[in-house]
Amino acid sequence: TIQQWNCNIGLLVGEPLEGDGGSICAPAVPPDGKTIACGKKDRSAQRWDAERSKAVPRRFRSHPVHALACSPSGDRIASGWHKRIICIWDTKTDKRIVGPEARGVRKETVILVVVSRDGRWVLTGGGSRYLAELKACEVETGIVKTFEGHSDWITCIDISADNTRLVSGSLDKTGWIWSSEAGRLVAGPFESVDKVGMVRFSPNSKKLAVKSDWATCLEVCRDVESQKLEIRLGIARMATIFAPSPVFWDNNRSAIDTKRIIPKQTGLRPAGPVISECN
């Protein structure tokens, strides 16, 4: 099932959305919030009308979906599977776009899919032990660009507000900033004290937040060009599990709100939201 929540009051909205045919692995929502999409292990992606809480009859079928992303306009859905497959779908015609859909795009496992804010690029990250793979596929042309530099799994990707740059984080303890158009390195690597689980540009794309994969350490770069560290909170734990959690900038660009998630078996108490002034 998929549950919808009212973020202001913290209560459920309507009845759970029930799917069939397998576990739900990857929910995604476009910015307008009118539809909800999810990837499933039964080789399909299913959609719901969020306002009416009804399933859209037709599904996208091709491969088990472990990663899913919607374009800002909601007219494209990109899906990825750990067996090196990427597909891009047109939600208006319910058809797979022939050009960008490709098995040859990926050589390694896909663990995340991201769509640029202008809908032009579909970015995929993943790899295997001690081997990273970060690629961008242009939706309309099917042109694929490869970004080389990391030496271990790509765990996270973020895109600047103007879509000109992207930042990638990896288990190799680094964050790299790239030109999305040229496919070349712009800044970095930013060397973290721990394996990187989440990266996030500030709203003006001048600062960068880097969070460890086990969510116990948060680092902020004052300027993405110089990679100068402004603040570091927490400590590195070098965990053997991968348990990333989100990090967000607030609207006035002066703070980060992040949530630490600590597995129960560690015996440690989960921390609440951490507000870090970075102005």
Side-chain angles (χ1 to χ4, degrees):
T1 63
I2 288 181
Q3 304 271 23
Q4 298 183 78
W5 302 83
N6 184 312
C7 296
N8 292 322
I9 59 177
L11 296 178
L12 284 170
V13 177
E15 297 294 325
L17 304 178
E18 295 187 4
D20 53 17
S23 301
I24 293 174
C25 301
V29 181
D32 62 14
K34 293 182 179 180
T35 59
I36 298 173
C38 73
K40 309 182 75 177
K41 288 186 177 180
D42 69 345
R43 308 179 69 85
S44 74
Q46 188 172 6
R47 289 174 295 154
W48 283 270
D49 183 320
E51 296 177 350
R52 296 186 297 171
S53 298
K54 290 186 178 181
V56 176
R58 296 193 64 180
R59 299 188 189 184
F60 305 129
R61 295 186 180 275
S62 176
H63 57 81
V65 179
H66 291 166
L68 196 72
C70 298
S71 66
S73 61
D75 62 349
R76 297 284 191 273
I77 290 179
S79 61
W81 183 35
H82 71 273
K83 294 295 185 181
R84 310 172 185 175
I85 300 176
I86 300 295
C87 289
I88 303 175
W89 310 85
D90 186 320
T91 59
K92 295 179 180 179
T93 62
D94 291 333
K95 292 183 178 180
R96 186 170 52 197
I97 299 173
V98 177
E101 183 270 334
R103 288 175 178 266
V105 171
R106 301 287 306 189
K107 294 181 179 180
E108 301 297 331
T109 297
V110 178
I111 63 172
L112 73 156
V113 177
V114 177
V115 180
S116 63
R117 289 176 171 83
D118 58 4
R120 181 183 175 188
W121 299 96
V122 172
L123 308 170
T124 62
S128 59
R129 191 61 177 164
Y130 304 121
L131 182 63
E133 193 169 49
L134 174 62
K135 294 194 175 185
C137 179
E138 191 171 29
V139 174
E140 298 301 327
T141 65
I143 294 174
V144 177
K145 296 182 179 180
T146 301
F147 303 84
E148 297 182 349
H150 287 290
S151 60
D152 209 335
W153 289 88
I154 304 294
T155 57
C156 47
I157 301 171
D158 193 29
I159 303 171
S160 63
D162 60 3
N163 297 293
T164 61
R165 296 183 179 185
L166 65 96
V167 57
S168 56
S170 167
L171 295 184
D172 65 7
K173 303 182 184 179
T174 65
W176 299 63
I177 297 176
W178 314 84
S179 165
S180 54
E181 186 68 37
R184 60 178 175 80
L185 186 67
V186 174
F190 169 76
E191 296 184 358
S192 175
V193 296
D194 203 350
K195 297 176 181 179
V196 178
M198 188 62 63
V199 289
R200 186 77 67 192
F201 281 116
S202 62
N204 61 7
S205 301
K206 293 182 178 180
K207 295 185 179 185
L208 178 67
V210 179
K211 194 157 100 169
S212 64
D213 68 329
W214 212 43
T216 59
C217 183
L218 174 66
E219 298 164 294
V220 177
C221 292
R222 178 179 302 174
D223 178 72
V224 296
E225 297 288 347
S226 65
Q227 302 286 294
K228 186 175 181 180
L229 185 68
E230 179 174 356
I231 190 172
R232 177 180 290 137
L233 298 174
I235 59 174
R237 289 193 179 273
M238 304 299 180
T240 57
I241 60 174
F242 180 59
S245 61
V247 57
F248 303 100
W249 291 84
D250 71 353
N251 291 330
N252 63 19
R253 305 174 185 173
S254 65
I256 294 175
D257 184 356
T258 179
K259 186 79 172 179
R260 281 185 201 165
I261 300 176
I262 301 177
K264 293 181 180 178
Q265 63 267 28
T266 63
L268 300 175
R269 294 182 60 188
V274 179
I275 311 298
S276 307
E277 292 293 339
C278 302
N279 190 2

